[in-house]
């Protein structure tokens, strides 16, 4: 597959991947799930860095963070070096929820890779096509 064909495949495969898990069953929005994932993946991640990585406004992030804190999934602490910088951490409940969602996504991805006999390109093409079929 040429690079020109790979770009849309990666884009549409990601769109499908991002929708594999019904986040409403966990009472989460897409941005909240992304936050949980980023916080669990990066050590001492600042709110500012999360904004950049997800590509959302500070206002949208504040609503999502406040909701995650109210649910007991995330805590916030200030930097000891610069009091203006706030870091987020997952609570044990947040970590458990993130792990549960990751496991569900991994199982679904494993299914696609098994169908494609481990061929990454075929698996991504199948995901992309599923997304395009669902949108039409």
């Amino acid at each position: 597959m040429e690079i020109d064909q790979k770009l849309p495949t990666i884009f549409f495969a990601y769109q499908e991947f991002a929708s594999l898990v019904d986040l409403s069953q966990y009472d989460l929005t897409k941005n909240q799930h992304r936050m949980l994932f980023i916080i669990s993946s990066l050590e001492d991640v600042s709110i500012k860095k999360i904004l950049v990585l997800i590509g959302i406004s500070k206002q949208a992030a504040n609503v999502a963070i406040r909701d995650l804190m109210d649910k007991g999934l995330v805590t916030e602490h200030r930097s000891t070096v610069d009091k203006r910088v706030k870091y987020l951490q997952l609570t044990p409940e947040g970590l458990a929820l993130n792990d549960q969602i990751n496991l569900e996504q991994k199982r679904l991805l494993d299914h696609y890779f098994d169908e494609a006999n481990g061929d990454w390109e075929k698996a991504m093409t199948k995901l992309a096509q599923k997304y395009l079929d669902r949108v039409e």
Side-chain angles (χ1 to χ4, degrees):
M1 181 184 295
E2 293 179 30
I3 192 69
D4 289 345
Q5 294 171 331
K6 288 179 181 177
L7 294 175
T9 298
I10 290 169
F11 177 82
F12 294 128
Y14 173 75
Q15 297 304 314
E16 183 61 22
F17 170 76
S19 69
L20 286 176
V21 174
D22 178 12
L23 295 174
S24 67
Q25 70 180 329
Y26 300 105
D27 193 27
L28 291 176
T29 65
K30 194 178 205 179
N31 283 339
Q32 289 171 332
H33 171 245
R34 289 175 176 174
M35 286 180 182
L36 292 178
F37 181 80
I38 289 169
I39 296 165
S40 74
S41 299
L42 302 175
E43 199 170 309
D44 282 333
V45 62
S46 69
I47 293 174
K48 183 177 180 180
K49 189 168 188 173
I50 291 171
L51 296 176
V52 171
L53 291 171
I54 298 176
I56 60 174
S57 70
K58 191 172 185 180
Q59 183 179 6
N62 285 337
V63 171
I65 292 166
R66 188 172 44 250
D67 192 40
L68 290 172
M69 292 175 81
D70 289 346
K71 292 176 184 177
L73 301 173
V74 171
T75 60
E76 174 185 282
H77 69 279
R78 292 193 183 274
S79 167
T80 55
V81 177
D82 185 346
K83 298 294 183 192
R84 297 171 297 172
V85 178
K86 294 179 184 177
Y87 295 102
L88 297 178
Q89 292 178 313
L90 296 182
T91 64
E93 294 82 8
L95 184 59
L97 178 60
N98 187 67
D99 288 348
Q100 182 179 355
I101 294 170
N102 286 349
L103 182 61
E104 188 176 344
Q105 285 180 317
K106 183 184 177 317
R107 285 182 186 145
L108 291 165
L109 276 179
D110 284 346
H111 169 76
Y112 282 96
F113 279 96
D114 288 346
E115 279 187 347
N117 295 319
D119 184 314
W120 183 89
E121 193 172 303
K122 286 181 184 175
M124 292 300 105
T125 300
K126 181 80 171 178
L127 274 169
Q129 192 57 56
K130 183 175 180 189
Y131 176 75
L132 291 171
D133 290 346
R134 191 167 44 84
V135 173
E136 290 179 20

